[in-house]
């Protein structure tokens, strides 16, 4: 991959969204108090103060493209980041990936304990739908219901959780390129695709517009996962904030195993090219989504 500097406008816009979504998360997550304060602490530990907030940025950018209200978009962005935080907390548990470090600090079950981490993940998952279904997210109950439905589909058995199940099975049974593609589209792609489509739902866009943004999301989501696999082989632990080399040690089915390092880089590039080409019908407002392609390919964490 040729070295190209990440667009400073994009970096600034992502930082701006990260700050804005952090404010919403601080507001929406329960303040630690009362007999369940430990749960509230663990939820905040898992969801606040870290991460690239890529999914939040996609929601907000899609909403701008669809001329949807920014306040509602930030609530959806926060909801998606809660869902994402839950998946990371549960994925790090000993019964799953057994990771001690996440976002440069001890994983939730290390900082607290396993039972608390499970409950914190569960509570973040359910809070996601509490935030989405609140009338502050969108004045139309129909739109809020569509957001709930689409995110439930992206994150449940036919999306993220289903992908995780196939991933676990593939550790024992192996998987070829086609099965890895299916499982990663579900595990990683579906939530990123929802993040891209959510703005169009908020903006009450036509089905074809929603379809384009969702398809773009699946392409960059899969490329994002391929780069994740590459970083596990070639990345730097300090920059990543987690251990590297874990996929091979655990016998995971990855794009590197299926395609090799160079083949995986080519595949990621071609997915980004395809995803960005899907945006040809959009004007300058889609520029951040185009620039994001380079970000995904060149990220170091
Ligand atoms: C529901 C238990 C359970 C698992 C779902 C999505 C998932 C399966 C597990 C999360 C772990 C993982 C490595 C998923 C692959 C997607 C991915 C690359 C996640 C990391 O996302 P980033 O890089 O994280 O956006 P930050 O920390 O920047 O938010």
């Amino acid at each position: 991959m040729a070295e190209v500097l990440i667009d400073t406008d994009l970096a600034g816009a992502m930082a701006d969204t990260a700050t804005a979504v952090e404010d919403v998360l601080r507001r929406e997550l329960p303040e630690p108090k009362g007999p369940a304060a430990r749960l509230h602490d663990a939820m905040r530990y898992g969801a606040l103060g870290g991460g690239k907030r890529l999914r939040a940025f996609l929601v907000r950018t899609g909403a701008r493209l669809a001329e949807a209200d920014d306040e509602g978009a930030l609530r959806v962005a926060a909801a998606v980041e809660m869902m994402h935080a839950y998946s990371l907390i549960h994925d790090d548990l000993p019964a799953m990936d057994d990771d001690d470090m996440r976002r440069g600090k001890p994983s939730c079950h290390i900082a607290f304990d396993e039972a608390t981490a499970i409950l914190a993940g569960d509570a973040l998952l359910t809070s996601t739908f509490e935030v989405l279904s609140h009338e502050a997210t969108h004045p139309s109950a129909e739109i809020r219901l569509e957001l709930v439905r689409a995110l439930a589909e992206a994150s449940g058995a036919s999306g993220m959780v289903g992908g995780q199940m196939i991933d676990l099975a593939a550790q024992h049974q192996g998987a070829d390129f086609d099965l890895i593609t299916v499982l990663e589209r579900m595990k990683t792609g579906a939530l990123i695709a929802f993040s891209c489509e959510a703005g169009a739902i908020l903006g009450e866009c036509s089905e074809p517009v929603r379809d384009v943004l969702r398809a773009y999301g699946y392409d960059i989501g899969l490329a994002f996962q391929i780069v994740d696999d590459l970083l596990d082989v070639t990345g730097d632990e300090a920059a990543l904030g987690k251990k590297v080399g874990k996929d091979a040690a655990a016998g995971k089915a990855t794009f590197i195993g299926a395609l090799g390092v160079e083949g995986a880089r080519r595949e990621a590039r071609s997915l980004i090219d395809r995803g960005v080409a899907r945006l040809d019908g959009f004007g300058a407002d889609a520029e951040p989504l185009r620039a994001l392609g380079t970000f995904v390919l060149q990220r170091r964490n």
Side-chain angles (χ1 to χ4, degrees):
M1 250 175 273
E3 194 68 30
V4 179
L5 286 175
I6 301 299
D7 190 319
T8 49
D9 287 351
L10 179 70
M14 287 184 77
D16 177 64
T17 293
T19 304
V21 83
E22 185 85 6
D23 286 347
V24 180
L25 285 167
R26 277 188 196 286
R27 207 173 59 223
E28 292 300 322
L29 288 167
E31 282 294 337
K33 60 172 184 270
R38 185 174 173 80
L39 172 69
H40 308 148
D41 269 330
M43 291 169 77
R44 297 178 87 86
Y45 182 87
L48 295 175
K52 296 177 286 298
R53 306 298 191 202
L54 167 78
R55 294 154 190 81
F57 182 70
L58 290 168
V59 173
R60 204 178 187 201
T61 307
R64 283 200 179 133
L65 206 58
E67 296 178 3
D69 171 58
D70 192 46
E71 204 180 312
L74 281 170
R75 289 181 60 82
V76 177
V80 172
E81 290 291 337
M82 284 182 189
M83 177 69 79
H84 175 53
Y86 128 73
S87 78
L88 299 179
I89 292 172
H90 280 196
D91 190 62
D92 289 340
L93 287 166
M96 300 259 179
D97 263 12
D98 196 10
D99 266 309
D100 288 357
M101 293 292 288
R102 170 67 63 183
R103 293 176 167 171
K105 60 185 189 183
S107 304
C108 193
H109 66 278
I110 300 292
F112 293 83
D113 56 79
E114 271 183 56
T116 306
I118 291 169
L119 293 174
D122 291 342
L124 282 166
L125 164 61
T126 41
S127 297
T128 293
F129 295 108
E130 203 177 324
V131 171
L132 282 188
S133 58
H134 194 285
E135 59 191 17
T137 299
H138 196 283
S140 158
E142 215 173 306
I143 295 297
R144 299 197 301 270
L145 186 61
E146 180 55 11
L147 288 166
V148 167
R149 189 207 60 74
L151 182 54
E153 191 179 319
S155 56
S158 56
M160 185 173 76
V161 175
Q164 177 80 344
M165 186 73 250
I166 302 173
D167 196 8
L168 292 175
Q171 246 168 289
H172 305 290
Q173 293 155 14
D176 60 12
F177 174 76
D178 288 345
L179 185 60
I180 295 172
T181 300
V182 168
L183 87 84
E184 298 297 6
R185 270 176 69 89
M186 291 168 73
K187 189 182 86 172
T188 305
L191 189 59
I192 291 181
F194 169 80
S195 305
C196 295
E197 189 184 0
I201 299 176
L202 281 168
E204 303 181 53
C205 293
S206 64
E207 280 298 327
V209 170
R210 282 180 58 171
D211 290 348
V212 166
L213 288 170
R214 190 172 57 243
Y216 159 86
Y218 269 114
D219 286 338
I220 65 148
L222 203 53
F224 186 84
Q225 180 60 52
I226 293 175
V227 172
D228 205 65
D229 289 356
L230 282 163
L231 288 172
D232 190 62
V233 175
T234 61
D236 171 60
E237 285 192 357
L240 282 168
K242 61 176 185 179
K243 287 209 181 83
V244 295
K246 287 213 67 185
D247 292 347
K252 278 207 159 193
T254 70
F255 283 106
I256 313 303
L259 301 172
V261 168
E262 282 314 313
R265 283 189 175 138
R266 274 196 300 278
E267 182 66 15
R269 171 86 262 167
S270 123
L271 283 161
I272 292 293
D273 289 346
R274 187 173 76 183
V276 170
R278 292 185 195 277
L279 303 172
D280 282 353
F282 296 110
D285 283 351
E287 216 41 60
L289 297 181
R290 297 186 184 99
L292 208 66
T294 306
F295 170 81
V296 166
L297 288 176
Q298 299 198 344
R299 72 190 179 94
R300 295 285 175 262
N301 68 7

